[in-house]
Amino acid sequence: MEFLENITTSWIIIFILTGFIAGYIDSIAGGGGMIQVPVLLYSGIPPIFVLATNKMASLFGTLMATIKYYLSNKISLKVVSIAIIPCLLASYIGSELVMYVPDNIIQWAILISIPIALIFLLKKSKEFKEEKTELSKKNIVLATAPIGFYDGLLGPGTGTYMTISMKKFLHLDYIISTASTKPLNLATNIGSAIAFMMAGKVLWMIAIPMAISNMLGSYVGSHYAIKGGEAFIKKVLIFVLVFMLGANILKIIFT
């Protein structure tokens, strides 16, 4: 792997800082991959190794966030237990389908999905709490499985969209929605991480320090999400969506 010769100590430090920021953002609103992937690509690492290394680092960050939210009793175990299998199946179907979709269509589909999410996020809704809302199996599956499908089909911003969907369609608090998204996102990511490892595509010299910093960022981010509540999480969600929109527009312009 000749490209590894260009990965200097300075790049490792940049990867560590990037991993922390991505973990922080991802634990609150999702979208950490939109931060890590461009930096890894810019360093000259081939795309397949970038995807594998990013997935491994993000996996550990999501695991940390899941543990932190679980210990704080913020995860809706009912939602997770009902949604996890449908999300896994939907993600698998999406991954199978995406192999037949042209890259330009995928790119535009991602771009269109972002402003739609912004509309849902900014639209005013009544204040509901989880304990005051009846969560039927049908509603839980309908609110989460399509996002699982999106995760397999497209991917970027899955955690963000899942949080918004749970808030808008299951009427959960943003903090409960954010927390419950993490174990679902963790489950849908494990399969691809295993596949990348078995294929030997994970760059461990980069993945390990990024995973550690991602976990630290995730720990700090989930702490502030729990402390800051709905107002804080909503602000970060808006920032992430606007960032994703801008990044995808620039990608289309310059490619």
Side-chain angles (χ1 to χ4, degrees), residues 9-243:
T9 302
S10 297
W11 270 117
I12 297 296
I13 293 173
I14 292 172
F15 293 150
I16 290 172
L17 293 174
T18 301
F20 181 87
I21 296 170
Y24 179 89
I25 294 295
D26 198 65
S27 67
I28 302 170
M34 294 295 293
I35 298 172
Q36 287 185 160
V37 169
V39 174
L40 287 166
L41 284 171
Y42 189 73
S43 70
I45 298 173
I48 186 63
F49 290 97
V50 166
L51 293 177
T53 304
N54 169 69
K55 183 66 69 175
M56 189 55 60
S58 299
L59 183 64
F60 282 92
T62 304
L63 175 61
M64 172 58 74
T66 300
I67 294 171
K68 178 72 173 176
Y69 283 124
Y70 176 78
L71 293 176
S72 300
N73 295 315
K74 298 300 182 182
I75 294 176
S76 172
L77 296 179
K78 179 178 181 180
V79 170
V80 173
S81 63
I82 292 172
I84 191 165
I85 299 300
C87 282
L88 282 170
L89 292 174
S91 179
Y92 175 79
I93 294 170
S95 295
E96 287 291 319
L97 181 61
V98 76
M99 299 180 191
Y100 304 97
V101 180
D103 289 344
N104 62 325
I105 294 179
I106 292 174
Q107 194 172 47
W108 280 103
I110 294 173
L111 185 63
I112 293 170
S113 68
I114 297 171
I116 291 175
L118 268 171
I119 292 171
F120 274 106
L121 179 62
L122 297 174
K123 185 179 178 182
K124 292 183 178 180
S125 62
K126 297 178 181 179
E127 292 294 328
F128 288 93
K129 302 294 181 183
E130 179 188 11
E131 62 269 20
K132 294 181 181 179
T133 306
E134 183 179 353
L135 297 173
S136 69
K137 290 183 179 180
K138 178 182 177 181
N139 289 340
I140 290 172
V141 172
L142 288 176
T144 57
I147 311 299
F149 176 77
Y150 170 85
D151 191 19
L153 184 69
L154 302 173
T158 296
T160 306
Y161 298 142
M162 186 79 77
T163 296
I164 295 170
S165 181
M166 286 188 186
K167 168 65 178 177
K168 294 300 179 180
F169 300 116
L170 299 182
H171 309 303
L172 304 181
D173 290 341
Y174 273 121
I175 184 64
I176 301 293
S177 300
T178 299
S180 301
T181 291
K182 299 311 167 189
L184 296 177
N185 208 7
L186 179 65
T188 57
N189 283 340
I190 286 175
S192 61
I194 292 174
F196 281 133
M197 282 193 294
M198 293 180 66
K201 300 301 182 182
V202 178
L203 301 176
W204 292 106
M205 63 170 285
I206 298 172
I208 291 175
M210 283 195 82
I212 294 172
S213 62
N214 200 286
M215 289 176 70
L216 290 173
S218 184
Y219 180 88
V220 175
S222 54
H223 171 78
Y224 278 101
I226 294 167
K227 183 179 179 180
E230 290 206 16
F232 175 70
I233 293 173
K234 189 170 184 178
K235 288 177 182 178
V236 178
L237 280 168
I238 292 172
F239 167 79
V240 169
L241 286 169
V242 171
F243 177 83

